[in-house]
Amino acid sequence: MKIAIIALLMICSQSILSQSKTVKGSVKNTSGELLPGVSILIKGTQRGTETDFDGLFTLDNVKPTDQLIFAYLGSETQTIPVGNQSTINVVLADSAEALDEIVVVGYGSQSRASVTGAISTVKSEEISVLPVTNAESALQGRAAGVTILNNGSPGSNPLVLIRGLGTLGNNAPLYVIDGVIVGNLSGISPNDIETVSILKDASTAAIYGARGANGVVIVTTKKGKSGKAKISFNTYSGFQTFTKRYPVMNTVQYLQHAANLGVFPNRPLELYQNNTNWQDEIFQNGYMENYNVSYSAGSQKSQQFFSAEYLSQEGTIINTGFERYSFRANSSVTLGNLKVGESMAVSFGEQKPELQGGGRTLITHAIKSAPYLPVYNPNNVGGFQGPSSSADGQDAENPVRVQTHPQALNKTLSIIGNVYLEYELLEGLKFKSQVGLDYFTFDGKNFTTPYSDDSVLGSSTHAQDFTSYGRSHSQGQTIILTNSLEYNKTFNDVHNLDVLVLSEKNDSKSTNFGGSARNLVSSELEQFGPTNQSIGSGSSETGWLSYLGRINYNYDGKYIVSASHRADASSRFGPNNRWGHFSSGSLGWVISKENFMKDSPFNNLKLRASYGETGNANIGDYAYFATLGGNYEYPIGGGNGPGITQGSPSNPDLQWEEISMMNIGLDFGLFDNKFTGTLEYFQNKSNNLLLFVPTELSSGNPSGGITRNIGELETKGFEVILGYNDYDGDFTWSANFNIGSSINEVQNLGVDKIDGAQMKDNIGFINQVTEGEAAYYFFGLVSDGIYQNQAEVDAVFTANPGQTTVQPGDVRYKDLNGDGTINSEDRTKLADPYPDFTYGLNLTANYKNWDANLFINGVQGVDIYNTNKYDLEAGANRLFNGSTVLLDSWTPSNQSTTQPRVPGAPQNHQISDRYIEDGSFLRFKNISLGYTIDNEKIIGDYLSKLRLYVSTQNLITITNYSGLDPEIGQGNQEFGIDRGRYPQPKSFLLGLQVSF
């Protein structure tokens, strides 16, 4: 009887347990917020569901014996037995991995805790706060050791240097957008960026081998996120202005200065009633507006992100501006072990560029033009007025006509995207295949109708009696095929291993076409005319093949080892040296995880070191080939026929430029990361520098030079990052400060010297390169006051005591070689254009619904060669408008001055330290104040965010530099030389951010 009863009870129990039911519930995070898109799966099956937009779920046909797995990105996965429960409410805790910042590195990502290299990360909120047309500009001051030098011209690309000058050639870093290598970031909207990772040492950059010598900028764009669909609309509008001016002479002062020179312009008296401020004529207030809308949605299995943007910016110089339309689509879907995704961006841009006349910038023309000349003259062809007499310095053109009379427009199209497939072959083993595309087109035009700025009959100063039309078109594409295997596994809970092997093929093609012609019949047709037709075209191809292996290992997150090796082959080098091999290794010790650190205030203390090699192949295509050159005539048959000759000699031994990098770093965090910091020291050495160097005239080389491997360059420096975060209470604030410094030295050159940038008026080179000095240092005469009497002049010119060219009132220069005269042999190093250090300070604060941001960046100890100062004072020899200091020139009765006599000796305006100034500055880059409305009665049920803000950029710049803008830099030879660069404006904006 007992056995029968037990059997009956077991049968009944089994029947009860086999019954299915419906389970309902909710899922929240530890803050009590309901989580949409949480995956709920019955263990051991493929059946499940997801929480809805309100964080609720319903699951049918659930057995009491089942176990439910709750999984959500960034949270700890929970497994809960069903039993007799019909309602299950779950709270998911943040995972340890989610609490540790994920850092994007080459071909993947790592937790910040396991990184052993030098990486700076800039997040989307730091980028979007600035109204910039180019994302690189938003990085300025945000990352230690990264120098960004902006140009105020709308749509222009800034100069970017990572850890200073690393080579004598092209120092541009490598840019990667979602795994696609691109030329720059002009084809991407800053609003689409999620993070920017800047790789600065061999441990991180060597994974890109021959491309990583100058550092790597990796951009990750925004993706869809699990949860409720979200629509965001961001807009701002405002104006930009520039108010600083050079102090130049008015009409009365100009005529006084002309009389001092002994020049008397023969002009109608009514002209002298004009008083034109040409700087005011070329500067304006520019309107700026931006509209961005995005859609984001996703679940555990699929994510989508779409965005569209319109940007319009008028320049602060007349007839300059930029417009851009950009569109993005990012999506991915996961089907079991397979994940497929794509990222695609398209942008269309139109730029009205700053133009030049006679090779001079608008600012140069504006500060030199005679003030009594009017801007317009309806009696002249074209309607403008310029100089008619050589007495007025005729190379100063009417800058308004130079900028507004031609119709110039540059159009661009950019397509950047990739398609990828990722499949998990085994647990921890993934295969990924990706195809990337970078495609661009450029179309430029310049249409100029006849004009004559000269009102004197029979004279033709600054005149064109025909219509000219020019077009230029270029396009190019890069296709990148990448296949990789990655194995990521943890053994015995302490051994963490990540292995990556990869192959990559990169093919680039580009073509260009240009033409120009004159039309003597019509000024209405924007087409090539029949006269003076000239055309040209070109094309190039570059191929890369790469293989990569990388191993990352750490023991219990405490001891970290990383190593990589990459082999690259490039068509830019001949068969003798086509392949380059680049390796790196790094070590890390997380001291804070040791037992003896348990009671210390450090929650993070990590020591790391790395060493490795990267490469540089930033040279033109076909540099190792012997090329041919045309545009020659060959006498044959009593006439001339088209001829061709050698263009440049071959260099079959041309090889990779190699850079060895050493980095030592210390990361720390105290009191739950309330205080954080990073200290870095680096030393980089470049060998076999790739440079185009002159060849002897006797070689018969029409190109004048050849690309060779010459010399060595060492760059070293330090970086410091400090942060404080207070997130408790109604008032929260944070402060982040960074400072970086680098110095470079040419240790071996292979030639005596390399001349740099030419000074105007053909008076010599401003800078040069020699062994033992910083690259492209300023080189010239050293001034020593003003000669006050003939005895002082005779004491210097002992080799030529009878000379009369240099007189009292002229500039006295030091006779450095002691030969009794002043000439080019007395030139010496004057300064170098590299700062002692750069820095940035970012302050944010929040009080209830209010938020504020103050961002400051600066440069200290930098020298600038100001050619504008030369222009402003060179009127001492020729009549141009110039600085009011010319009125304080030396005379026998005015000897307490630093301005030489007029018209002085020609040597007064030689290349010297008189035109070198301290370019240090501190700039309030951004100040913003915002208010977020969260009252449900105001924003309703459909709005999740409504924020209004005001902001200003470049409001205050503290500097002693006399130029318009101390932020100067245009490449190696021009680094630190101010030739009238388009200054950065001040911006005043009102913005709105709305989320649905």
PDB file of all heavy atoms in Angstrom, residues 227-239:
ATOM      1  N   GLY A 227      17.068  48.744 -27.095  1.00  0.00           N
ATOM      2  CA  GLY A 227      16.101  49.509 -26.331  1.00  0.00           C
ATOM      3  C   GLY A 227      15.124  50.249 -27.216  1.00  0.00           C
ATOM      4  O   GLY A 227      14.992  49.986 -28.412  1.00  0.00           O
ATOM      5  N   LYS A 228      14.443  51.163 -26.613  1.00  0.00           N
ATOM      6  CA  LYS A 228      13.412  51.929 -27.291  1.00  0.00           C
ATOM      7  C   LYS A 228      14.008  52.779 -28.404  1.00  0.00           C
ATOM      8  O   LYS A 228      15.080  53.352 -28.269  1.00  0.00           O
ATOM      9  CB  LYS A 228      12.711  52.831 -26.270  1.00  0.00           C
ATOM     10  CG  LYS A 228      11.484  53.560 -26.800  1.00  0.00           C
ATOM     11  CD  LYS A 228      10.827  54.336 -25.678  1.00  0.00           C
ATOM     12  CE  LYS A 228       9.584  55.064 -26.181  1.00  0.00           C
ATOM     13  NZ  LYS A 228       8.915  55.823 -25.079  1.00  0.00           N
ATOM     14  N   ALA A 229      13.286  52.834 -29.538  1.00  0.00           N
ATOM     15  CA  ALA A 229      13.752  53.653 -30.658  1.00  0.00           C
ATOM     16  C   ALA A 229      13.849  55.114 -30.231  1.00  0.00           C
ATOM     17  O   ALA A 229      13.031  55.609 -29.453  1.00  0.00           O
ATOM     18  CB  ALA A 229      12.816  53.513 -31.842  1.00  0.00           C
ATOM     19  N   LYS A 230      14.848  55.806 -30.742  1.00  0.00           N
ATOM     20  CA  LYS A 230      15.113  57.176 -30.323  1.00  0.00           C
ATOM     21  C   LYS A 230      15.372  58.049 -31.537  1.00  0.00           C
ATOM     22  O   LYS A 230      16.173  57.704 -32.409  1.00  0.00           O
ATOM     23  CB  LYS A 230      16.318  57.208 -29.387  1.00  0.00           C
ATOM     24  CG  LYS A 230      16.701  58.587 -28.889  1.00  0.00           C
ATOM     25  CD  LYS A 230      17.906  58.494 -27.964  1.00  0.00           C
ATOM     26  CE  LYS A 230      18.354  59.852 -27.460  1.00  0.00           C
ATOM     27  NZ  LYS A 230      19.548  59.759 -26.590  1.00  0.00           N
ATOM     28  N   ILE A 231      14.686  59.164 -31.600  1.00  0.00           N
ATOM     29  CA  ILE A 231      14.911  60.163 -32.642  1.00  0.00           C
ATOM     30  C   ILE A 231      15.457  61.416 -31.977  1.00  0.00           C
ATOM     31  O   ILE A 231      14.874  61.922 -31.006  1.00  0.00           O
ATOM     32  CB  ILE A 231      13.620  60.488 -33.412  1.00  0.00           C
ATOM     33  CG1 ILE A 231      13.099  59.244 -34.136  1.00  0.00           C
ATOM     34  CG2 ILE A 231      13.862  61.606 -34.416  1.00  0.00           C
ATOM     35  CD1 ILE A 231      11.773  59.462 -34.838  1.00  0.00           C
ATOM     36  N   SER A 232      16.578  61.914 -32.492  1.00  0.00           N
ATOM     37  CA  SER A 232      17.207  63.100 -31.926  1.00  0.00           C
ATOM     38  C   SER A 232      17.323  64.172 -32.986  1.00  0.00           C
ATOM     39  O   SER A 232      17.629  63.885 -34.156  1.00  0.00           O
ATOM     40  CB  SER A 232      18.595  62.771 -31.367  1.00  0.00           C
ATOM     41  OG  SER A 232      18.512  61.839 -30.312  1.00  0.00           O
ATOM     42  N   PHE A 233      17.090  65.410 -32.570  1.00  0.00           N
ATOM     43  CA  PHE A 233      17.234  66.555 -33.456  1.00  0.00           C
ATOM     44  C   PHE A 233      18.089  67.590 -32.743  1.00  0.00           C
ATOM     45  O   PHE A 233      17.748  68.040 -31.646  1.00  0.00           O
ATOM     46  CB  PHE A 233      15.871  67.144 -33.814  1.00  0.00           C
ATOM     47  CG  PHE A 233      15.965  68.410 -34.621  1.00  0.00           C
ATOM     48  CD1 PHE A 233      16.392  68.386 -35.934  1.00  0.00           C
ATOM     49  CD2 PHE A 233      15.627  69.633 -34.046  1.00  0.00           C
ATOM     50  CE1 PHE A 233      16.473  69.558 -36.676  1.00  0.00           C
ATOM     51  CE2 PHE A 233      15.703  70.808 -34.778  1.00  0.00           C
ATOM     52  CZ  PHE A 233      16.138  70.766 -36.099  1.00  0.00           C
ATOM     53  N   ASN A 234      19.202  67.942 -33.367  1.00  0.00           N
ATOM     54  CA  ASN A 234      20.118  68.942 -32.815  1.00  0.00           C
ATOM     55  C   ASN A 234      20.307  70.058 -33.837  1.00  0.00           C
ATOM     56  O   ASN A 234      20.519  69.791 -35.028  1.00  0.00           O
ATOM     57  CB  ASN A 234      21.479  68.323 -32.492  1.00  0.00           C
ATOM     58  CG  ASN A 234      21.378  67.222 -31.464  1.00  0.00           C
ATOM     59  OD1 ASN A 234      20.538  67.269 -30.574  1.00  0.00           O
ATOM     60  ND2 ASN A 234      22.231  66.211 -31.581  1.00  0.00           N
ATOM     61  N   THR A 235      20.260  71.270 -33.370  1.00  0.00           N
ATOM     62  CA  THR A 235      20.475  72.395 -34.273  1.00  0.00           C
ATOM     63  C   THR A 235      21.115  73.549 -33.524  1.00  0.00           C
ATOM     64  O   THR A 235      20.951  73.686 -32.305  1.00  0.00           O
ATOM     65  CB  THR A 235      19.143  72.862 -34.893  1.00  0.00           C
ATOM     66  OG1 THR A 235      19.401  73.931 -35.820  1.00  0.00           O
ATOM     67  CG2 THR A 235      18.177  73.353 -33.834  1.00  0.00           C
ATOM     68  N   TYR A 236      21.869  74.339 -34.238  1.00  0.00           N
ATOM     69  CA  TYR A 236      22.384  75.595 -33.693  1.00  0.00           C
ATOM     70  C   TYR A 236      22.521  76.593 -34.833  1.00  0.00           C
ATOM     71  O   TYR A 236      22.633  76.228 -36.008  1.00  0.00           O
ATOM     72  CB  TYR A 236      23.730  75.406 -32.983  1.00  0.00           C
ATOM     73  CG  TYR A 236      24.866  74.918 -33.843  1.00  0.00           C
ATOM     74  CD1 TYR A 236      25.537  75.776 -34.725  1.00  0.00           C
ATOM     75  CD2 TYR A 236      25.299  73.603 -33.767  1.00  0.00           C
ATOM     76  CE1 TYR A 236      26.589  75.325 -35.499  1.00  0.00           C
ATOM     77  CE2 TYR A 236      26.351  73.153 -34.540  1.00  0.00           C
ATOM     78  CZ  TYR A 236      26.996  74.007 -35.407  1.00  0.00           C
ATOM     79  OH  TYR A 236      28.040  73.571 -36.180  1.00  0.00           O
ATOM     80  N   SER A 237      22.483  77.838 -34.485  1.00  0.00           N
ATOM     81  CA  SER A 237      22.695  78.907 -35.454  1.00  0.00           C
ATOM     82  C   SER A 237      23.301  80.099 -34.727  1.00  0.00           C
ATOM     83  O   SER A 237      23.160  80.243 -33.513  1.00  0.00           O
ATOM     84  CB  SER A 237      21.384  79.306 -36.146  1.00  0.00           C
ATOM     85  OG  SER A 237      20.466  79.815 -35.202  1.00  0.00           O
ATOM     86  N   GLY A 238      23.971  80.923 -35.493  1.00  0.00           N
ATOM     87  CA  GLY A 238      24.625  82.088 -34.906  1.00  0.00           C
ATOM     88  C   GLY A 238      25.496  82.765 -35.928  1.00  0.00           C
ATOM     89  O   GLY A 238      25.305  82.612 -37.142  1.00  0.00           O
ATOM     90  N   PHE A 239      26.456  83.507 -35.437  1.00  0.00           N
ATOM     91  CA  PHE A 239      27.332  84.224 -36.361  1.00  0.00           C
ATOM     92  C   PHE A 239      28.771  84.146 -35.883  1.00  0.00           C
ATOM     93  O   PHE A 239      29.057  83.884 -34.705  1.00  0.00           O
ATOM     94  CB  PHE A 239      26.894  85.680 -36.522  1.00  0.00           C
ATOM     95  CG  PHE A 239      27.099  86.528 -35.294  1.00  0.00           C
ATOM     96  CD1 PHE A 239      28.250  87.289 -35.129  1.00  0.00           C
ATOM     97  CD2 PHE A 239      26.141  86.558 -34.297  1.00  0.00           C
ATOM     98  CE1 PHE A 239      28.451  88.057 -33.993  1.00  0.00           C
ATOM     99  CE2 PHE A 239      26.328  87.336 -33.153  1.00  0.00           C
ATOM    100  CZ  PHE A 239      27.483  88.084 -33.005  1.00  0.00           C
TER     101      PHE A 239
END
